Amino acid sequence: MTTIDDIMRTAPVIPVLVIDDVATARPLAEALVAGGLPVLEVTLRTPAALDAIREMKRVPGAIVGAGTVVSAEQFEAVMDAGAEFIVSPGLTERLAAPIVASGVPYLPGVATAGDIMRGLDLGLTHFKFFPAETSGGLKALKALAAPFYQCRFCPTGGITEDTAATWLAFDRVLCVGGSWVAGGTPAEIEAKARAASALRG
């Protein structure tokens, strides 16, 4: 099974996707993959999310995960839908334990040293720094990362096309999460994805 480290190193940006209409899911995934962003996080913020995961899984080359997973019940539902990795906005032992036990790649959200230590206790070393900008930005992440040399991060929340490269320049950051790549026509989305895939120079 692919590891979360492999997934995070696949592309510099993981599109964070809110799908309202399942009919848009496959064209969106096709455009993002064509532009060089194959790792897709479908957030569980809409009723269409599970069907969107199923549709995006049909796109060759797409690596489709579920975001905003906050309960064991949601974890089971997204696994039934075919999710290949799990992202949560925070980290609790109750949620993390069954995910870790399953071996599915998992990226839990952290914002404090206590969060990271809780993750380390569970055997996790890769985290989503969330919400990145309102939690103190890159300065805060650098301070947090200092004592946790073994950890790697995917900052998400408030990151834009203009700021992504600055985050990616920090060696503890393997990728960033962002929604700016997901708007527009399929051609526009592919162009944004192509630009984002070139951010890691």
Side-chain angles (χ1 to χ4, degrees):
M1 183 178 287
T2 303
T3 67
I4 194 64
D5 187 77
D6 292 334
I7 290 170
M8 291 170 70
R9 292 178 188 275
T10 300
V13 178
I14 296 178
V16 179
L17 308 172
V18 180
I19 309 295
D20 292 304
D21 180 0
V22 70
T24 67
R26 188 165 182 174
L28 175 59
E30 288 171 343
L32 289 166
V33 171
L37 299 182
V39 180
L40 311 174
E41 177 189 336
V42 180
T43 62
L44 298 188
R45 300 182 194 179
T46 70
L50 293 176
D51 285 335
I53 290 171
R54 294 184 181 96
E55 279 297 302
M56 290 183 164
K57 284 273 293 178
R58 297 169 62 187
V59 175
I63 302 167
V64 186
T68 325
V69 176
V70 297
S71 69
E73 293 75 21
Q74 286 183 329
F75 169 54
E76 292 176 8
V78 299
M79 291 309 296
D80 287 342
E84 296 170 78
F85 64 95
I86 305 295
V87 183
S88 61
L91 174 60
T92 66
E93 186 171 352
R94 183 177 178 183
L95 173 63
I99 300 175
V100 171
S102 76
V104 175
Y106 179 40
L107 189 65
V110 298
T112 68
D115 292 339
I116 295 171
M117 290 174 68
R118 193 178 311 120
L120 290 172
D121 284 347
L122 290 159
L124 300 166
T125 55
H126 290 60
F127 302 100
K128 174 171 84 163
F129 179 51
F130 177 81
E133 289 293 352
T134 56
S135 295
L138 183 56
K139 184 177 180 180
L141 179 58
K142 287 182 174 179
L144 269 178
F148 301 111
Y149 64 90
Q150 68 273 61
C151 297
R152 297 296 180 268
F153 299 91
C154 173
T156 305
I159 293 172
T160 68
E161 183 176 11
D162 294 330
T163 62
T166 304
W167 286 94
L168 289 163
F170 180 36
D171 63 358
R172 304 289 183 83
V173 171
L174 299 185
C175 59
V176 300
S179 56
W180 81 86
V181 293
T185 66
E188 290 167 341
I189 291 167
E190 183 176 340
K192 290 179 187 177
R194 203 169 299 284
S197 70
L199 283 171
R200 185 169 19 227

